[in-house]
Amino acid sequence: INWIQALGDYVKIICEDHTFVVLSTMKVFEEKLSDASFLRIHKSYIVNLKKIEHFTTKNVTIKTHNIPLSRTKKSLLHAALKV
């Protein structure tokens, strides 16, 4: 899993070669993926920390895709990446 994106009542799971859309909530995925590899960085995104290539104060880059970074989640990202 590269990242997970909220789509209303559905969740889009983006993997290396496939994309899946399932009926679920972000909260369910956040609880299931609560280990050190995944972090919710925005109300609509959970990212795989091992796949992050670059990040700024506003975005996280994974595979040339810019994913928004919430202001309130910046400190959690820094702590998770030990920056």
Side-chain angles (χ1 to χ4, degrees):
I1 298 175
N2 289 337
W3 72 87
I4 299 166
Q5 180 181 358
L7 294 173
D9 292 337
Y10 293 86
V11 173
K12 186 176 183 181
I13 305 164
I14 294 86
C15 300
E16 291 293 325
D17 299 324
H18 296 83
T19 299
F20 303 95
V21 177
V22 296
L23 181 61
S24 186
T25 63
M26 290 294 279
K27 184 172 181 156
V28 169
F29 273 89
E30 191 174 16
E31 290 168 358
K32 287 184 178 185
L33 300 172
S34 63
D35 69 358
S37 298
F38 292 90
L39 180 68
R40 189 167 188 170
I41 62 163
H42 186 273
K43 67 179 182 174
S44 299
Y45 292 93
I46 298 172
V47 297
N48 184 339
L49 296 171
K50 296 175 183 173
K51 302 289 183 173
I52 293 175
E53 296 172 4
H54 182 272
F55 70 93
T56 66
T57 58
K58 296 185 178 186
N59 294 304
V60 170
T61 304
I62 298 177
K63 302 278 182 187
T64 70
H65 294 277
N66 285 326
I67 300 167
L69 173 61
S70 168
R71 286 189 311 253
T72 59
K73 302 290 187 175
K74 272 190 254 184
S75 59
L76 291 174
L77 179 64
H78 284 242
L81 294 175
K82 296 173 180 57
V83 177

